[in-house]
Amino acid sequence: MMEIILAEHRGFCYGVTRAVQLAESSLGQAAPICTLGPIIHNPQMVEHLKQNGIGKVESLDEMEQGTIVIRSHGVGPQVYQAAADKNLTIVDATCPHVKKAQQSAKALLETNDYVVVIGEKKHPEVKSIFEWSNQKAYVVETVEEAETLPNAERIGVVSQTTFAGRDFDRITEVLATKCNELEVKRTICTATELRQKAAVELAEKVDIMIVIGGKNSANTTRLAELCTKTGCDTKHIETASELKPEWFFEKTRAGITAGASTPGWIIEEVAKKMETFESAFDVEMKELRKGELVEGTVISIRKDGIFVDVGYKSEGFVPAQEVASPTPDDLHSVVAIGDTISMIVESAKENMDGVVVLSKRKADQREVVANIVRAFESGELVTGKGVEEVKGGLRVDVCGLRGFIPASHLDIRQTKDIAQYVGQTMELKIIEMDMKKNRIVLSRRVLLEKAAAEVKKLAFERIHVGDILTAKVLEEVKGGLRVDVYGVRGFIPASQIDVQMVKGLRQYIGQELELEIIEADEKKGRVVLSRRVLLERAIAKAEQEALDRIHLGDVVEGTVRRIQDYGVFVDIGGVDALLHVSDMAWEKVKHPSQLFKVGDAVKAVIVKFDAEEKRIGLSLKKLIRDPWLDKADTVKEGTVVVGTVAKLTNFGAFVKIADDLEGLVRMAEISERHIKKAEEALSVGQEVKVKILTIDKRNKKIALSIRQVQQDAERAEYKAYMKEQEDKNVAFGNQLGDLLKDFEV
């Protein structure tokens, strides 16, 4: 009896699983939906996606609208730009490992004389990595090609993710002789190495090795080559239909492995068909027992049932109602002549027609249950389709059996919209099972968590405190914003969004912000970012540049930013300056809002500047002549004017001699007599004559005198009197002279 052994590591890798999930989840996006080239190197999966409404194009020229899915092998940066120029919706299913190789090629180009991409020149993944090197890298596949490369001081190396590790090491040994410093980024996927190692180990233990995967799949072809090198009889197939019974003649142990692009259901089909070959070489005729599971080949199809050859002395017959459930109208739609099928023996003896009655329907049910149990025990994934929302979760169909997904296991985070999963086909893991109670509990969350953990690991390899990056805001959360950072969630505290506290964070959702990583903790999965530190840095730089341009006495222009009781702050090109209320006008200003509002343009002169303290004082009134001086020019020292007493003080009285022009009459200049208070001689509002003694324009002071006006008046009166007396004396003398003439001798 032939033993069939499955390789420990086989089939879909994380990157392929992720690519297929992203492609399937794109349903509902803008139509048409197409992958750019095959999503993975597996024709059956490509056909499966096509049946579900996801087509394939080889060039963006074939797309004028809709959604384009970037396949797992990745593309160059120019493809993203071309898709964006066409306004296509982009679903990026590039494998994270490939993405890492692309970015490594780009980074190595900046620090090395040239870059070498180790891989297959015609492979789409290698082509995409080459594009990210700005089409400047050398692509080598063999040691011989590496030996032809030129010598250099520094060489950077990156690899195709599915390249054989041994060959990679041999090529890098050659490259090390070509330079003084070799910078190697070993971007070979660990999943690839594990598959190759497991395949080689199994090939050394079995008689025949079956390698399953697309003929155009590089990693599958490589598996077949490695198995062949061990000396094991190796067959590379895509589907179970390619298996030939003669391959297994006299073979006691057969191994199965599969490339990273091979889905689990194809592996299962191959294994099942190989199991049928075991009995094909069993020469002893077995006795049939009721309830026994047997395999046979369909030899005839009728309307009422099918005849099969089960290796028994008589033929087996499967009634139509036992072929499938529900009973098909046309049995040809279920089976074809030559098909090998499993059946349950309904009767161990021939009936009246000389045939053994069998049931394919019951065998299918048993097989489904067996597969489910095997999947549960081995931890393998199963495929389920959402049927309906039920209390506490979602009911799903798993290979015809009823299963249940608790709401807490639908996604990593609790989902409120369970109905969105109805009709969706999902890969699931069985977390609880009791077939006696027909109870199957499944989880989608555990798969997402595993994928998220891988994304997290790759992300934190790129995340470093102090790095500056651009990230898209996903949502508003308590205390700040969530952003996407290389596939993991980052957090921007509200205090780190701007230099001032921001109200209404929803305005940032969907925006791409330039941020700096200020905290990173891989264990906690915590990434904290700040936009504020970058803004403060830019402001500080602008301030310093502005300060370097500033000189005392410069006339500058700016914009009012803030208004305070004591003045306004004016932005004069990257730095704030204070225009004090006392420097706004020559007249007294009660409050700055009388003259300014936020946003007003201001032209002023710099009157104070302290570069160290970053303090700048402006003056508006220094740009215009003091109107007091104009008014002072209307009066002259020594003149007498009429004024009005405006204010009395303990040192004198202020007298208004013109509009907005006052002078001080000191106590000694109020009256001829001695007074202690100005109120003894004057009252507010009283009209008086004053003499302008002095005009001090520097200190804006005018000295007046009432006393001197009185003295000047008295002096004038006295002079007039004396002149009058003098005139009278002269006249009398003349008269006396005339009289004395008569008495002359």
Side-chain angles (χ1 to χ4, degrees), residues 37-46 56 58 71 73 120 122-125 160 162 211-222 236-238 242 259-262:
I39 186 71
I40 57 175
H41 279 154
N42 186 275
Q44 291 73 35
M45 180 53 69
V46 173
K56 175 176 70 72
E58 295 299 332
R71 60 181 176 177
H73 301 108
E120 301 165 43
K122 296 182 179 180
H123 195 281
E125 176 191 327
Q160 177 182 345
T162 56
V211 181
I212 313 167
K215 297 294 176 61
N216 60 339
S217 170
N219 72 85
T220 306
T221 301
R222 187 58 181 165
H236 181 178
I237 65 171
E238 287 188 355
E242 298 176 51
S261 302
T262 307

mmCIF file of all heavy atoms in Angstrom, residues 37-46 56 58 71 73 120 122-125 160 162 211-222 236-238 242 259-262:
data_model
loop_
_atom_site.group_PDB
_atom_site.id
_atom_site.type_symbol
_atom_site.label_atom_id
_atom_site.label_comp_id
_atom_site.label_asym_id
_atom_site.label_seq_id
_atom_site.Cartn_x
_atom_site.Cartn_y
_atom_site.Cartn_z
ATOM 1 N N GLY A 37 -1.832 41.752 -15.351
ATOM 2 C CA GLY A 37 -1.155 40.470 -15.452
ATOM 3 C C GLY A 37 -1.820 39.501 -14.489
ATOM 4 O O GLY A 37 -2.690 39.880 -13.694
ATOM 5 N N PRO A 38 -1.440 38.220 -14.510
ATOM 6 C CA PRO A 38 -2.046 37.261 -13.576
ATOM 7 C C PRO A 38 -1.724 37.638 -12.134
ATOM 8 O O PRO A 38 -0.585 37.964 -11.824
ATOM 9 C CB PRO A 38 -1.408 35.932 -13.975
ATOM 10 C CG PRO A 38 -0.144 36.301 -14.678
ATOM 11 C CD PRO A 38 -0.415 37.594 -15.368
ATOM 12 N N ILE A 39 -2.715 37.604 -11.257
ATOM 13 C CA ILE A 39 -2.536 37.991 -9.855
ATOM 14 C C ILE A 39 -1.426 37.156 -9.220
ATOM 15 O O ILE A 39 -0.629 37.646 -8.429
ATOM 16 C CB ILE A 39 -3.855 37.843 -9.060
ATOM 17 C CG1 ILE A 39 -3.698 38.371 -7.650
ATOM 18 C CG2 ILE A 39 -4.345 36.409 -9.057
ATOM 19 C CD1 ILE A 39 -3.570 39.855 -7.555
ATOM 20 N N ILE A 40 -1.378 35.865 -9.552
ATOM 21 C CA ILE A 40 -0.299 34.959 -9.153
ATOM 22 C C ILE A 40 -0.058 34.004 -10.311
ATOM 23 O O ILE A 40 -0.881 33.908 -11.225
ATOM 24 C CB ILE A 40 -0.651 34.159 -7.869
ATOM 25 C CG1 ILE A 40 -1.945 33.361 -8.081
ATOM 26 C CG2 ILE A 40 -0.764 35.074 -6.670
ATOM 27 C CD1 ILE A 40 -2.302 32.454 -6.917
ATOM 28 N N HIS A 41 1.028 33.280 -10.287
ATOM 29 C CA HIS A 41 1.328 32.334 -11.352
ATOM 30 C C HIS A 41 0.598 31.010 -11.126
ATOM 31 O O HIS A 41 1.198 29.979 -10.818
ATOM 32 C CB HIS A 41 2.839 32.111 -11.467
ATOM 33 C CG HIS A 41 3.536 33.177 -12.234
ATOM 34 N ND1 HIS A 41 4.860 33.501 -12.060
ATOM 35 C CD2 HIS A 41 3.073 34.034 -13.185
ATOM 36 C CE1 HIS A 41 5.190 34.483 -12.877
ATOM 37 N NE2 HIS A 41 4.123 34.834 -13.559
ATOM 38 N N ASN A 42 -0.726 31.066 -11.256
ATOM 39 C CA ASN A 42 -1.542 29.863 -11.140
ATOM 40 C C ASN A 42 -2.775 30.044 -12.022
ATOM 41 O O ASN A 42 -3.684 30.813 -11.682
ATOM 42 C CB ASN A 42 -1.954 29.617 -9.689
ATOM 43 C CG ASN A 42 -2.688 28.291 -9.531
ATOM 44 O OD1 ASN A 42 -3.882 28.211 -9.735
ATOM 45 N ND2 ASN A 42 -1.951 27.253 -9.174
ATOM 46 N N PRO A 43 -2.837 29.357 -13.170
ATOM 47 C CA PRO A 43 -3.956 29.531 -14.108
ATOM 48 C C PRO A 43 -5.309 29.240 -13.476
ATOM 49 O O PRO A 43 -6.302 29.887 -13.804
ATOM 50 C CB PRO A 43 -3.634 28.538 -15.230
ATOM 51 C CG PRO A 43 -2.164 28.294 -15.126
ATOM 52 C CD PRO A 43 -1.847 28.387 -13.669
ATOM 53 N N GLN A 44 -5.355 28.250 -12.579
ATOM 54 C CA GLN A 44 -6.638 27.891 -11.975
ATOM 55 C C GLN A 44 -7.169 29.031 -11.101
ATOM 56 O O GLN A 44 -8.368 29.327 -11.105
ATOM 57 C CB GLN A 44 -6.493 26.610 -11.140
ATOM 58 C CG GLN A 44 -6.234 25.350 -11.963
ATOM 59 C CD GLN A 44 -4.833 25.293 -12.539
ATOM 60 O OE1 GLN A 44 -3.885 25.751 -11.915
ATOM 61 N NE2 GLN A 44 -4.704 24.739 -13.741
ATOM 62 N N MET A 45 -6.283 29.678 -10.338
ATOM 63 C CA MET A 45 -6.733 30.790 -9.500
ATOM 64 C C MET A 45 -7.130 31.991 -10.352
ATOM 65 O O MET A 45 -8.090 32.696 -10.052
ATOM 66 C CB MET A 45 -5.629 31.186 -8.514
ATOM 67 C CG MET A 45 -6.021 32.350 -7.583
ATOM 68 S SD MET A 45 -7.573 32.087 -6.703
ATOM 69 C CE MET A 45 -7.088 30.762 -5.596
ATOM 70 N N VAL A 46 -6.399 32.205 -11.450
ATOM 71 C CA VAL A 46 -6.762 33.289 -12.370
ATOM 72 C C VAL A 46 -8.158 33.054 -12.941
ATOM 73 O O VAL A 46 -8.977 33.970 -13.035
ATOM 74 C CB VAL A 46 -5.721 33.409 -13.502
ATOM 75 C CG1 VAL A 46 -6.181 34.417 -14.552
ATOM 76 C CG2 VAL A 46 -4.370 33.833 -12.941
ATOM 77 N N LYS A 56 -8.468 40.188 -16.288
ATOM 78 C CA LYS A 56 -7.015 40.333 -16.355
ATOM 79 C C LYS A 56 -6.677 41.120 -17.613
ATOM 80 O O LYS A 56 -7.217 40.863 -18.692
ATOM 81 C CB LYS A 56 -6.338 38.961 -16.392
ATOM 82 C CG LYS A 56 -4.809 39.021 -16.577
ATOM 83 C CD LYS A 56 -4.205 37.626 -16.504
ATOM 84 C CE LYS A 56 -4.568 36.778 -17.711
ATOM 85 N NZ LYS A 56 -3.855 37.214 -18.935
ATOM 86 N N GLU A 58 -3.101 42.891 -19.661
ATOM 87 C CA GLU A 58 -1.637 42.825 -19.704
ATOM 88 C C GLU A 58 -1.009 44.212 -19.729
ATOM 89 O O GLU A 58 0.181 44.353 -19.495
ATOM 90 C CB GLU A 58 -1.181 42.039 -20.940
ATOM 91 C CG GLU A 58 -1.586 40.578 -20.943
ATOM 92 C CD GLU A 58 -1.015 39.810 -19.773
ATOM 93 O OE1 GLU A 58 0.067 40.197 -19.271
ATOM 94 O OE2 GLU A 58 -1.639 38.823 -19.348
ATOM 95 N N ARG A 71 -0.611 43.057 -9.101
ATOM 96 C CA ARG A 71 -0.413 41.673 -8.681
ATOM 97 C C ARG A 71 0.715 41.539 -7.657
ATOM 98 O O ARG A 71 1.463 42.481 -7.407
ATOM 99 C CB ARG A 71 -0.134 40.788 -9.891
ATOM 100 C CG ARG A 71 1.100 41.181 -10.695
ATOM 101 C CD ARG A 71 1.250 40.257 -11.877
ATOM 102 N NE ARG A 71 2.350 40.625 -12.751
ATOM 103 C CZ ARG A 71 2.699 39.910 -13.812
ATOM 104 N NH1 ARG A 71 2.042 38.814 -14.101
ATOM 105 N NH2 ARG A 71 3.693 40.293 -14.578
ATOM 106 N N HIS A 73 3.535 40.206 -7.692
ATOM 107 C CA HIS A 73 4.921 40.385 -8.126
ATOM 108 C C HIS A 73 5.343 41.847 -8.147
ATOM 109 O O HIS A 73 6.522 42.147 -8.258
ATOM 110 C CB HIS A 73 5.122 39.794 -9.526
ATOM 111 C CG HIS A 73 4.809 38.326 -9.590
ATOM 112 N ND1 HIS A 73 3.686 37.829 -10.220
ATOM 113 C CD2 HIS A 73 5.450 37.254 -9.077
ATOM 114 C CE1 HIS A 73 3.662 36.506 -10.112
ATOM 115 N NE2 HIS A 73 4.718 36.132 -9.421
ATOM 116 N N GLU A 120 15.774 35.932 -11.803
ATOM 117 C CA GLU A 120 15.498 35.576 -13.194
ATOM 118 C C GLU A 120 15.085 36.814 -13.976
ATOM 119 O O GLU A 120 14.095 37.467 -13.640
ATOM 120 C CB GLU A 120 14.387 34.530 -13.245
ATOM 121 C CG GLU A 120 14.729 33.265 -12.475
ATOM 122 C CD GLU A 120 13.506 32.398 -12.225
ATOM 123 O OE1 GLU A 120 12.694 32.235 -13.152
ATOM 124 O OE2 GLU A 120 13.364 31.912 -11.090
ATOM 125 N N LYS A 122 13.568 37.476 -16.702
ATOM 126 C CA LYS A 122 12.243 37.608 -17.308
ATOM 127 C C LYS A 122 11.109 37.512 -16.291
ATOM 128 O O LYS A 122 9.942 37.650 -16.649
ATOM 129 C CB LYS A 122 12.058 36.526 -18.381
ATOM 130 C CG LYS A 122 13.025 36.672 -19.550
ATOM 131 C CD LYS A 122 12.761 35.611 -20.610
ATOM 132 C CE LYS A 122 13.710 35.770 -21.796
ATOM 133 N NZ LYS A 122 13.461 34.747 -22.848
ATOM 134 N N HIS A 123 11.456 37.289 -15.035
ATOM 135 C CA HIS A 123 10.403 37.159 -14.019
ATOM 136 C C HIS A 123 9.810 38.540 -13.708
ATOM 137 O O HIS A 123 10.549 39.518 -13.535
ATOM 138 C CB HIS A 123 10.977 36.541 -12.737
ATOM 139 C CG HIS A 123 9.924 36.046 -11.793
ATOM 140 N ND1 HIS A 123 9.226 36.886 -10.970
ATOM 141 C CD2 HIS A 123 9.443 34.789 -11.565
ATOM 142 C CE1 HIS A 123 8.363 36.179 -10.261
ATOM 143 N NE2 HIS A 123 8.464 34.909 -10.603
ATOM 144 N N PRO A 124 8.468 38.648 -13.636
ATOM 145 C CA PRO A 124 7.842 39.964 -13.392
ATOM 146 C C PRO A 124 8.279 40.613 -12.089
ATOM 147 O O PRO A 124 8.363 41.839 -12.000
ATOM 148 C CB PRO A 124 6.336 39.648 -13.388
ATOM 149 C CG PRO A 124 6.242 38.166 -13.179
ATOM 150 C CD PRO A 124 7.455 37.594 -13.816
ATOM 151 N N GLU A 125 8.573 39.813 -11.063
ATOM 152 C CA GLU A 125 9.027 40.398 -9.795
ATOM 153 C C GLU A 125 10.383 41.073 -9.979
ATOM 154 O O GLU A 125 10.608 42.194 -9.506
ATOM 155 C CB GLU A 125 9.126 39.330 -8.715
ATOM 156 C CG GLU A 125 9.682 39.861 -7.391
ATOM 157 C CD GLU A 125 10.041 38.766 -6.406
ATOM 158 O OE1 GLU A 125 9.354 37.730 -6.407
ATOM 159 O OE2 GLU A 125 11.022 38.946 -5.666
ATOM 160 N N GLN A 160 15.648 38.442 -5.745
ATOM 161 C CA GLN A 160 14.280 37.975 -6.007
ATOM 162 C C GLN A 160 13.828 37.171 -4.789
ATOM 163 O O GLN A 160 14.588 36.373 -4.248
ATOM 164 C CB GLN A 160 14.281 37.105 -7.261
ATOM 165 C CG GLN A 160 12.941 36.489 -7.623
ATOM 166 C CD GLN A 160 13.061 35.599 -8.851
ATOM 167 O OE1 GLN A 160 14.049 35.644 -9.578
ATOM 168 N NE2 GLN A 160 12.065 34.770 -9.067
ATOM 169 N N THR A 162 11.929 34.703 -4.377
ATOM 170 C CA THR A 162 11.781 33.250 -4.516
ATOM 171 C C THR A 162 13.056 32.580 -5.020
ATOM 172 O O THR A 162 13.026 31.432 -5.445
ATOM 173 C CB THR A 162 10.614 32.930 -5.479
ATOM 174 O OG1 THR A 162 10.845 33.591 -6.736
ATOM 175 C CG2 THR A 162 9.291 33.413 -4.903
ATOM 176 N N VAL A 211 5.195 17.707 -7.600
ATOM 177 C CA VAL A 211 5.300 19.148 -7.345
ATOM 178 C C VAL A 211 4.136 19.825 -8.062
ATOM 179 O O VAL A 211 4.026 19.741 -9.292
ATOM 180 C CB VAL A 211 6.640 19.720 -7.843
ATOM 181 C CG1 VAL A 211 6.728 21.209 -7.539
ATOM 182 C CG2 VAL A 211 7.804 18.979 -7.196
ATOM 183 N N ILE A 212 3.285 20.513 -7.310
ATOM 184 C CA ILE A 212 2.062 21.100 -7.867
ATOM 185 C C ILE A 212 2.210 22.601 -7.981
ATOM 186 O O ILE A 212 2.598 23.274 -7.017
ATOM 187 C CB ILE A 212 0.838 20.782 -6.983
ATOM 188 C CG1 ILE A 212 0.803 19.301 -6.614
ATOM 189 C CG2 ILE A 212 -0.452 21.199 -7.673
ATOM 190 C CD1 ILE A 212 -0.189 18.986 -5.515
ATOM 191 N N GLY A 213 1.865 23.144 -9.156
ATOM 192 C CA GLY A 213 1.905 24.595 -9.336
ATOM 193 C C GLY A 213 1.968 24.954 -10.800
ATOM 194 O O GLY A 213 2.215 24.104 -11.668
ATOM 195 N N GLY A 214 1.726 26.249 -11.093
ATOM 196 C CA GLY A 214 1.723 26.710 -12.472
ATOM 197 C C GLY A 214 3.047 26.452 -13.169
ATOM 198 O O GLY A 214 4.114 26.599 -12.577
ATOM 199 N N LYS A 215 2.965 26.091 -14.438
ATOM 200 C CA LYS A 215 4.185 25.835 -15.209
ATOM 201 C C LYS A 215 4.978 27.131 -15.419
ATOM 202 O O LYS A 215 6.173 27.096 -15.692
ATOM 203 C CB LYS A 215 3.819 25.216 -16.562
ATOM 204 C CG LYS A 215 3.136 23.847 -16.461
ATOM 205 C CD LYS A 215 4.050 22.785 -15.906
ATOM 206 C CE LYS A 215 3.344 21.447 -15.701
ATOM 207 N NZ LYS A 215 2.789 20.840 -16.909
ATOM 208 N N ASN A 216 4.276 28.280 -15.252
ATOM 209 C CA ASN A 216 4.942 29.573 -15.394
ATOM 210 C C ASN A 216 5.355 30.163 -14.054
ATOM 211 O O ASN A 216 5.794 31.306 -13.966
ATOM 212 C CB ASN A 216 4.022 30.562 -16.117
ATOM 213 C CG ASN A 216 2.727 30.789 -15.351
ATOM 214 O OD1 ASN A 216 2.334 29.976 -14.517
ATOM 215 N ND2 ASN A 216 2.046 31.896 -15.659
ATOM 216 N N SER A 217 5.229 29.354 -12.990
ATOM 217 C CA SER A 217 5.591 29.817 -11.656
ATOM 218 C C SER A 217 7.058 29.518 -11.381
ATOM 219 O O SER A 217 7.477 28.362 -11.363
ATOM 220 C CB SER A 217 4.709 29.139 -10.597
ATOM 221 O OG SER A 217 5.205 29.396 -9.305
ATOM 222 N N ALA A 218 7.840 30.562 -11.138
ATOM 223 C CA ALA A 218 9.279 30.400 -10.922
ATOM 224 C C ALA A 218 9.563 29.582 -9.665
ATOM 225 O O ALA A 218 10.431 28.703 -9.663
ATOM 226 C CB ALA A 218 9.950 31.764 -10.830
ATOM 227 N N ASN A 219 8.828 29.878 -8.575
ATOM 228 C CA ASN A 219 9.148 29.174 -7.333
ATOM 229 C C ASN A 219 8.753 27.711 -7.415
ATOM 230 O O ASN A 219 9.404 26.846 -6.834
ATOM 231 C CB ASN A 219 8.486 29.874 -6.142
ATOM 232 C CG ASN A 219 6.987 29.688 -6.094
ATOM 233 O OD1 ASN A 219 6.486 28.702 -5.575
ATOM 234 N ND2 ASN A 219 6.246 30.656 -6.632
ATOM 235 N N THR A 220 7.668 27.375 -8.166
ATOM 236 C CA THR A 220 7.268 25.973 -8.321
ATOM 237 C C THR A 220 8.277 25.223 -9.188
ATOM 238 O O THR A 220 8.666 24.088 -8.876
ATOM 239 C CB THR A 220 5.870 25.885 -8.953
ATOM 240 O OG1 THR A 220 4.959 26.661 -8.179
ATOM 241 C CG2 THR A 220 5.388 24.438 -8.989
ATOM 242 N N THR A 221 8.700 25.875 -10.269
ATOM 243 C CA THR A 221 9.703 25.261 -11.153
ATOM 244 C C THR A 221 10.991 25.002 -10.378
ATOM 245 O O THR A 221 11.642 23.965 -10.544
ATOM 246 C CB THR A 221 9.987 26.190 -12.351
ATOM 247 O OG1 THR A 221 8.768 26.416 -13.065
ATOM 248 C CG2 THR A 221 11.012 25.563 -13.285
ATOM 249 N N ARG A 222 11.337 25.938 -9.496
ATOM 250 C CA ARG A 222 12.546 25.779 -8.698
ATOM 251 C C ARG A 222 12.415 24.596 -7.735
ATOM 252 O O ARG A 222 13.370 23.837 -7.526
ATOM 253 C CB ARG A 222 12.812 27.067 -7.917
ATOM 254 C CG ARG A 222 14.142 27.084 -7.188
ATOM 255 C CD ARG A 222 15.299 26.882 -8.139
ATOM 256 N NE ARG A 222 16.578 26.871 -7.458
ATOM 257 C CZ ARG A 222 17.709 26.448 -7.988
ATOM 258 N NH1 ARG A 222 17.715 25.990 -9.242
ATOM 259 N NH2 ARG A 222 18.840 26.472 -7.297
ATOM 260 N N HIS A 236 6.186 17.511 -12.287
ATOM 261 C CA HIS A 236 5.630 18.859 -12.089
ATOM 262 C C HIS A 236 4.275 18.925 -12.788
ATOM 263 O O HIS A 236 4.172 18.810 -14.002
ATOM 264 C CB HIS A 236 6.591 19.896 -12.680
ATOM 265 C CG HIS A 236 6.121 21.317 -12.493
ATOM 266 N ND1 HIS A 236 6.863 22.401 -12.920
ATOM 267 C CD2 HIS A 236 4.999 21.839 -11.937
ATOM 268 C CE1 HIS A 236 6.206 23.514 -12.630
ATOM 269 N NE2 HIS A 236 5.068 23.189 -12.045
ATOM 270 N N ILE A 237 3.211 19.111 -12.026
ATOM 271 C CA ILE A 237 1.861 19.166 -12.587
ATOM 272 C C ILE A 237 1.159 20.428 -12.099
ATOM 273 O O ILE A 237 1.565 21.047 -11.120
ATOM 274 C CB ILE A 237 1.023 17.935 -12.181
ATOM 275 C CG1 ILE A 237 0.808 17.933 -10.663
ATOM 276 C CG2 ILE A 237 1.678 16.644 -12.659
ATOM 277 C CD1 ILE A 237 -0.174 16.879 -10.197
ATOM 278 N N GLU A 238 0.071 20.790 -12.795
ATOM 279 C CA GLU A 238 -0.750 21.919 -12.368
ATOM 280 C C GLU A 238 -2.021 21.456 -11.671
ATOM 281 O O GLU A 238 -2.468 22.090 -10.703
ATOM 282 C CB GLU A 238 -1.120 22.798 -13.566
ATOM 283 C CG GLU A 238 0.037 23.621 -14.086
ATOM 284 C CD GLU A 238 -0.384 24.634 -15.145
ATOM 285 O OE1 GLU A 238 -1.570 24.623 -15.529
ATOM 286 O OE2 GLU A 238 0.461 25.436 -15.572
ATOM 287 N N GLU A 242 -3.597 15.731 -14.525
ATOM 288 C CA GLU A 242 -2.347 15.372 -15.199
ATOM 289 C C GLU A 242 -1.697 14.116 -14.609
ATOM 290 O O GLU A 242 -0.738 13.587 -15.165
ATOM 291 C CB GLU A 242 -1.363 16.539 -15.105
ATOM 292 C CG GLU A 242 -1.832 17.816 -15.788
ATOM 293 C CD GLU A 242 -0.883 18.969 -15.588
ATOM 294 O OE1 GLU A 242 0.316 18.796 -15.847
ATOM 295 O OE2 GLU A 242 -1.334 20.027 -15.147
ATOM 296 N N GLY A 259 3.977 24.894 -4.914
ATOM 297 C CA GLY A 259 4.544 26.234 -4.927
ATOM 298 C C GLY A 259 3.679 27.224 -4.156
ATOM 299 O O GLY A 259 2.529 26.945 -3.810
ATOM 300 N N ALA A 260 4.248 28.404 -3.926
ATOM 301 C CA ALA A 260 3.563 29.420 -3.119
ATOM 302 C C ALA A 260 2.308 29.956 -3.789
ATOM 303 O O ALA A 260 1.489 30.613 -3.145
ATOM 304 C CB ALA A 260 4.520 30.569 -2.827
ATOM 305 N N SER A 261 2.136 29.669 -5.096
ATOM 306 C CA SER A 261 0.961 30.173 -5.804
ATOM 307 C C SER A 261 -0.126 29.109 -5.959
ATOM 308 O O SER A 261 -1.091 29.304 -6.701
ATOM 309 C CB SER A 261 1.370 30.676 -7.198
ATOM 310 O OG SER A 261 2.340 31.683 -7.096
ATOM 311 N N THR A 262 0.024 27.993 -5.281
ATOM 312 C CA THR A 262 -0.928 26.881 -5.434
ATOM 313 C C THR A 262 -1.942 26.875 -4.301
ATOM 314 O O THR A 262 -1.568 26.741 -3.133
ATOM 315 C CB THR A 262 -0.187 25.526 -5.453
ATOM 316 O OG1 THR A 262 0.845 25.576 -6.446
ATOM 317 C CG2 THR A 262 -1.157 24.401 -5.763
#
